[in-house]
Amino acid sequence: MSVGNNTPEIEELKAEMTRLGERLGSAMHTDAQRSSCFRSALVRILPGLGEAEFEFIAQDPELRSWITVPLDGGDLYPHLVHLQKRLEELSYKTDHDMLTGLLNRRAFERFLEQELNRAKRQRTRLALAVLDVDDFKIINDTYGHLCGDQVLATLGRIIDDSTRAYDTAARIGGEEFAIILPGSGPLKSRALLERLLNIFRCTEFHCEGYPSFNVTFSVGLAYLRGGDHFTPKNVLEIADKALYTAKGKGKNTVEMVKIAVEELYPKATMVHSDEKRFLFG
């Protein structure tokens, strides 16, 4: 049996399976009051139906209840493999933004809560950056939405390529992105974001029918260390306010605010500056 889109053999098999399913469903409904809760399977041997053909047939929503059992010693339940692939795809789509490949807002908020809890327990550093593409509406209105999508996808790729494996990057709105930077202090966080700014503003965009152009973004950066009274919502709000400040300062810049700095060690164990002068003077 050859496989391909709408081949006569495949279409005939699909139609036959659909008709058989309808007849069986009707019969089961008619005998429902006479039968107990007994389930059975009807098996038909299809010599030419291979894994590739089954993958094609399984895409039809009307045949999703059909399974296949190979007789040649291959995978015992390829339909379960197919189902597992579908579940993995659905899981990925649930947590990711399809345009940029980054996490979506729902997944981002879940990761932010986890990282905040870790920072509270371990009294470690945490930085949250919120990025917003400057004048994105003008880009869409001038160059079209497809070109605007190209801008967003490019920024997503730059963020993904430039952050560490344990950083968390997400697209949390139309042209708004966020990056969670665990263990990152203010200097290190700012240096990363300045580097992202420079890469992005030096990137030329080419959309058909228009001259090339460049785009910038603005950043609000919130930094904390330890602290028990911060929630994902208010940390995000503080980073958002810093973002609006960056926009007000002319855009294409990073505005940082320290929202909590707690000592990593008890004050009683620390050597103060006057004691240092005495010891080393």
Side-chain angles (χ1 to χ4, degrees), residues 102-177:
L102 301 180
L103 293 177
N104 58 27
R105 187 179 186 106
R106 180 170 61 178
F108 159 77
E109 290 176 347
R110 186 171 69 246
F111 276 87
L112 179 56
E113 184 172 18
Q114 292 172 0
E115 292 299 338
L116 276 173
N117 289 335
R118 183 179 291 112
K120 292 172 186 177
R121 290 195 309 270
Q122 302 176 1
R123 295 193 176 279
T124 54
R125 298 172 174 178
L126 178 67
L128 171 64
V130 177
L131 296 68
D132 188 86
V133 179
D134 296 327
D135 303 313
F136 187 67
K137 185 178 185 305
I138 295 176
I139 295 170
N140 273 339
D141 292 344
T142 304
Y143 304 100
H145 288 276
L146 289 178
C147 197
D149 286 349
Q150 180 185 334
V151 170
L152 298 177
T154 299
L155 178 54
R157 189 193 72 247
I158 291 172
I159 293 173
D160 191 49
D161 290 344
S162 303
T163 49
R164 303 166 299 182
Y166 49 88
D167 294 332
T168 301
R171 181 187 177 198
I172 60 174
E175 65 270 22
E176 195 171 34
F177 296 76

